[in-house]
C-alpha cells in the first residue's frame, strides 16, 4: 500500500473500510506529514491496541536510507531503498534561507542523457506518489523544507500522474502546506506533457533541460530530442508560455568541446529570449563511463562572456556537493558497483 501517497480522502476511505471513524484517517495523515511518524504506534491519539494491530498487519514506511554522503557545504545525498529493493537518490540542499530537496521520480531513467549516471541503465519503474513524497518528508525531519525540485533520477513528465499527485499532497494545508510556486519540475522535453502542465499546474515552475540549442548536438546528448526535436519542443513551449505567466528556466550542462561554441551561445541566447527564460549554466561534474569532459574555467568564462554580450539572462550555478557524488545517479551507481 502506498500510504505516503494517499490523500486525506483516501485515508478516510481506508479507515472507514475497517469500520473505524473517518477522523482516524485524518490523525494518521497528520502524523505522517507533520510529525514524521513512520509507524502506526507513533501516531498520536491512536488507541494503543489499534496502532499495534495496524503495525502488525501493515508496514507504514517500507523505505529505508541505506547510504548517506554529507558534503562540506552541508549538501546531503541519501540513497533510499524501497520495498522491492529498488534504489533511488534524493538530495538535501540547505542554504541560509532555504532548504531545497531534489527528488527522484523514477528508478533509473529512460532518457539516457550521455552525461548522466541515472540514465545509463535505462528505467526500472516509476516511483509512486508516496515514494516521491517520502524523499521530502525524510529530510523535512532535519530542517523544514522550503522548496522541492524534481531533478533527481527519472523524467518527471513520464511519471506525470504520480508527480502531480505528490505535488498536490505536499501542497495540502494539512500536510507540509508548501505553496505551488515552491515546486520546480525539470523536464528533458516531453512536449505533449509540457502543454498539459500549463493546464494542470500553472503555478509550478517548469525547467527545461535543454543542454544543446541545435538538433545535431541535442539528439546526441539528450536522445529524447529525436522524438521531439527542438522546433517541436519550442512549439510546446510557445503554448506553455502563452498560458502560464511564470519565468521559465533553461538548464544547460556545460560540456567541454560539445555545446560551448560561439554559434551555440547565439542559438541558446535566441531561444532564451523567445521565452524571457533564465539560463542556468551547470559546469559538468564528471561521472563514470561518460564521453564528456568538464570544461576548464576559461571555457566557462568565455561562454558566459558570449552570452553576456548577447544580452542573455543567465547564472553559472555554483557546484553544490562537489566533494560527494552529488550529481544525479552517482551514489547509486557507485553503491551497485561496490556492492
Ligand atoms: S539528466 Fe535527467 S533526463 Fe537525462 S538521463 Fe539523467 S535523469 Fe534522465
Amino acid at each position: 500500500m502506498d500510504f505516503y501517497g494517499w490523500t486525506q480522502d483516501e485515508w478516510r476511505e481506508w479507515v472507514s473500510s475497517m469500520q473505524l471513524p473517518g477522523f482516524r484517517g485524518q490523525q494518521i495523515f497528520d502524523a505522517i506529514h507533520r510529525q514524521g511518524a513512520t509507524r502506526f504506534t507513533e501516531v498520536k491519539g491512536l488507541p494503543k491496541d489499534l496502532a499495534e494491530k495496524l503495525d502488525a498487519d501493515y508496514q507504514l514506511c517500507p523505505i529505508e536510507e541505506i547510504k548517506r554522503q554529507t558534503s562540506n557545504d552541508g549538501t546531503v545525498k541519501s540513497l533510499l531503498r524501497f520495498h522491492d529493493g529498488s534504489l533511488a537518490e534524493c538530495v538535501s540542499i540547505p542554504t541560509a534561507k532555504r532548504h531545497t530537496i531534489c527528488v527522484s521520480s523514477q528508478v533509473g531513467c529512460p532518457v539516457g542523457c550521455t552525461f548522466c549516471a541515472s540514465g545509463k541503465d535505462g528505467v526500472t519503474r516509476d516511483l509512486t506518489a508516496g515514494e516521491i513524497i517520502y524523499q521530502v518528508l525524510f529530510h523535512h525531519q532535519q530542517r523544514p523544507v522550503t522548496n522541492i525540485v524534481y531533478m533527481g533520477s527519472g523524467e518527471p513528465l513520464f511519471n506525470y500522474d504520480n508527480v502531480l499527485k505528490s505535488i498536490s499532497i505536499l501542497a495540502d494545508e494539512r500536510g507540509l502546506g508548501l505553496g505551488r510556486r515552491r515546486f520546480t519540475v525539470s523536464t528533458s522535453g516531453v512536449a505533449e506533457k509540457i502543454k498539459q502542465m500549463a493546464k494542470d499546474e500553472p503555478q509550478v515552475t517548469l525547467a527545461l533541460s535543454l543542454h544543446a540549442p541545435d538538433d545535431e548536438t541535442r539528439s546526441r546528448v539528450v536522445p529524447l530530442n529525436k522524438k521531439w526535436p527542438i522546433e517541436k519542443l519550442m512549439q510546446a513551449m510557445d503554448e506553455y508560455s502563452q498560458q502560464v505567466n511564470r519565468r521559465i528556466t533553461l538548464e544547460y550542462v556545460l560540456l567541454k568541446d560539445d555545446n560551448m561554441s560561439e554559434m551555440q551561445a547565439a542559438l541558446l541566447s535566441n531561444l532564451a529570449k523567445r521565452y524571457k527564460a533564465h539560463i542556468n549554466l551547470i559546469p559538468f561534474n564528471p561521472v563514470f563511463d561518460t564521453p564528456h569532459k568538464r570544461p576548464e574555467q576559461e571555457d566557462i568564462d568565455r561562454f558566459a562572456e558570449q552570452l553576456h554580450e548577447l544580452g542573455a539572462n543567465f547564472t553559472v550555478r555554483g557546484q553544490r556537493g562537489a566533494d560527494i557524488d552529488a550529481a544525479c545517479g552517482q551514489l547509486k551507481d557507485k553503491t551497485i558497483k561496490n556492492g
Side-chain angles (χ1 to χ4, degrees):
M1 303 242 209
D2 190 36
F3 290 125
Y4 280 77
W6 283 2
T7 61
Q8 295 185 56
D9 284 348
E10 286 171 311
W11 271 109
R12 277 192 292 267
E13 273 167 36
W14 188 65
V15 297
S16 301
S17 73
M18 293 188 288
Q19 277 70 56
L20 293 167
F23 76 87
R24 294 284 179 220
Q26 192 69 62
Q27 280 177 322
I28 304 170
F29 181 91
D30 291 352
I32 288 176
H33 292 273
R34 293 243 167 135
Q35 295 143 26
T38 55
R39 302 170 64 84
F40 288 101
T41 36
E42 291 166 4
V43 176
K44 285 191 191 127
L46 218 53
K48 194 164 173 276
D49 52 345
L50 171 62
E52 284 173 355
K53 181 169 173 11
L54 289 174
D55 269 340
D57 292 347
Y58 304 97
Q59 197 178 357
L60 183 58
C61 178
I63 307 171
E64 59 173 334
E65 184 191 42
I66 61 162
K67 206 159 231 177
R68 169 181 293 216
Q69 289 183 335
T70 304
S71 164
N72 294 332
D73 64 18
T75 302
V76 176
K77 181 161 199 166
S78 298
L79 183 63
L80 303 180
R81 182 166 58 207
F82 301 101
H83 71 94
D84 61 351
S86 296
L87 304 175
E89 301 160 351
C90 56
V91 184
S92 148
I93 307 156
T95 60
K97 290 195 178 146
R98 292 181 173 197
H99 182 201
T100 302
I101 308 299
C102 174
V103 297
S104 293
S105 56
Q106 295 181 299
V107 178
C109 182
V111 178
C113 300
T114 50
F115 55 84
C116 172
S118 295
K120 275 193 329 134
D121 302 316
V123 64
T124 308
R125 67 171 174 87
D126 289 341
L127 290 177
T128 64
E131 288 167 339
I132 296 170
I133 289 169
Y134 181 76
Q135 299 172 50
V136 177
L137 297 179
F138 177 74
H139 287 291
H140 185 72
Q141 294 313 306
Q142 320 305 318
R143 176 179 161 185
V145 168
T146 60
N147 295 76
I148 299 167
V149 295
Y150 290 72
M151 289 186 185
S153 69
E155 164 50 63
L157 298 190
F158 279 157
N159 187 14
Y160 191 78
D161 292 346
N162 288 335
V163 163
L164 259 58
K165 190 176 186 196
S166 70
I167 292 172
S168 97
I169 292 173
L170 288 164
D172 189 323
E173 287 296 326
R174 299 267 322 220
L176 295 194
L178 290 168
R180 293 298 211 267
R181 288 169 182 255
R182 295 182 175 271
F183 293 83
T184 299
V185 172
S186 172
T187 179
S188 55
V190 184
E192 61 203 31
K193 293 293 184 191
I194 288 174
K195 294 187 237 173
Q196 180 96 27
M197 273 284 288
K199 297 190 186 85
D200 294 339
E201 280 294 355
Q203 301 277 310
V204 167
T205 303
L206 183 72
L208 175 62
S209 295
L210 190 65
H211 305 317
D214 60 283
D215 280 323
E216 192 267 316
T217 314
R218 192 164 195 271
S219 293
R220 183 163 44 80
V221 174
V222 183
L224 198 63
N225 195 69
K226 291 177 198 145
K227 181 157 187 192
W228 288 292
I230 289 178
E231 198 39 51
K232 257 203 172 142
L233 183 54
M234 292 307 141
Q235 282 164 15
M237 293 297 290
D238 284 338
E239 269 190 48
Y240 178 87
S241 59
Q242 276 157 20
Q243 293 180 50
V244 174
N245 189 22
R246 304 271 299 135
R247 191 175 75 165
I248 293 163
T249 304
L250 297 180
E251 304 286 336
Y252 200 92
V253 172
L254 294 171
L255 304 165
K256 186 175 168 69
D257 301 332
D258 258 317
N259 63 356
M260 300 179 67
S261 71
E262 208 169 314
M263 186 263 294
Q264 285 162 324
L267 288 172
L268 173 60
S269 167
N270 283 344
L271 288 178
K273 282 180 189 161
R274 182 161 160 179
Y275 307 106
K276 297 192 186 70
H278 184 83
I279 306 165
N280 244 339
L281 299 175
I282 311 151
F284 178 55
N285 191 17
V287 296
F288 313 99
D289 309 328
T290 166
H292 303 293
K293 294 190 283 283
R294 182 181 167 83
E296 311 297 333
Q297 190 57 45
E298 62 197 68
D299 302 323
I300 299 169
D301 292 345
R302 180 185 33 79
F303 195 71
E305 183 55 33
Q306 283 162 0
L307 287 178
H308 177 70
E309 279 168 14
L310 291 159
N313 183 349
F314 70 94
T315 43
V316 182
R317 198 194 282 173
Q319 207 179 325
R320 297 293 308 243
D323 54 328
I324 61 171
D325 300 310
C328 181
Q330 286 189 69
L331 178 58
K332 176 180 165 186
D333 195 67
K334 217 183 223 178
T335 302
I336 290 170
K337 275 198 177 121
N338 298 341

